[in-house]
Amino acid sequence: MPATLIDGKAVAARMTAEIADEAAAFQHATGIVPHLVAVLVGDDPASAVYVRNKQKACERAGLKSTLHRLPAETTEVDLLRTVERLNADSGVHGILVQLPLPKHIREQVILDAVVAQKDVDCFHPHNVGLLVQGRPRFLPCTPAGCQRLLAEYKIETAGAHAVVLGRSEIVGKPMAMLLIQRGAVADATVTMCHSRTRELASMVRQADILIAAIGKPRFVTADMVKPGAVVIDVGINREGDRLVGDVDFEPVSQIASAITPVPGGVGPMTIATLLRNTLTAAQLSAG
Ligand code: GUN
């Protein structure tokens, strides 16, 4: 395999150790232990695993984490009440409502209800606005994780053509926003592609840096990748009991210069950024 394997697990472990040191210093100075509350509604097994991984990561970084598990029949009003209680609790610094929510609950209503100062997912319109303006309060977890991988592997982004495949609120849109900002690990020329893009394969083939976040297993095939491109695979798709990304890993790794694996690439970086945001939220709350 000629491509360099981008080891997100190792980078996330280093980030977690950095955050642990900072959290310990913060606790020493203020007596405050940053506290993340995760809200999990229903019993989607994948969501339960993700939330457990986030809690374990909090433990490793010396952050407090609490899980609020609510039944699948929870009403929108009851979930709103839970969020409002957490908003008002000065002992809670970060609130994460795990998605997806059951169909009868409007996600937008719930996400908008999380007070912006505790919105460690960076979903609140106020936080998205700050991000667009290049003065973020919190970092969008998955996109910032991808950006940190580019930094760690010293991938030149300035003037590079980055293609973001997928236009979700959670990954595609904020990813493009980070890469077009002025500054380090940014200054890229960004093209956003999605399911309605014409000549999709030829657009993707122009990427120096490809961020694949389209949510379709092995969607990006070797013929869609420019030789020497850097490929960041955000996809987590289940194929039987195996996880695969949005990139057809084996053939693409013969063509790319660097590539993230699934699992062990972007996933751990999302969680590490969530820890960073939780520490930031606690620091902001302490003034
Ligand atoms: N479900 C899948 N990814 C995420 C995420 O980053 N945040 C939340 N809240 N839910 C998710």
Side-chain angles (χ1 to χ4, degrees), residues 54 96-99 121 123 170 270:
K54 289 168 185 175
L96 176 141
V97 180
Q98 184 67 27
L99 303 177
D121 265 318
F123 290 162
I170 189 166
T270 299

Side-chain angles (χ1 to χ4, degrees), residues 127-155:
N127 291 326
V128 175
L130 290 170
L131 175 71
V132 171
Q133 293 184 349
R135 49 184 187 132
R137 175 192 276 138
F138 297 117
L139 297 167
C141 294
T142 299
C146 295
Q147 192 182 35
R148 175 77 182 247
L149 289 178
L150 297 175
E152 292 281 330
Y153 282 80
K154 303 201 181 338
I155 289 152

Side-chain angles (χ1 to χ4, degrees), residues 110-185:
I110 301 301
L111 297 180
D112 284 355
V114 174
V115 71
Q117 288 78 4
K118 300 188 183 187
D119 165 41
V120 286
D121 265 318
C122 196
F123 290 162
H124 191 283
H126 193 164
N127 291 326
V128 175
L130 290 170
L131 175 71
V132 171
Q133 293 184 349
R135 49 184 187 132
R137 175 192 276 138
F138 297 117
L139 297 167
C141 294
T142 299
C146 295
Q147 192 182 35
R148 175 77 182 247
L149 289 178
L150 297 175
E152 292 281 330
Y153 282 80
K154 303 201 181 338
I155 289 152
E156 182 59 88
T157 55
H161 186 189
V163 173
V164 178
L165 179 55
R167 56 176 158 177
S168 66
E169 305 297 334
I170 189 166
V171 183
K173 285 190 198 173
M175 185 77 248
M177 275 309 131
L178 287 181
L179 290 172
I180 58 159
Q181 297 298 333
R182 294 174 195 275
V185 208

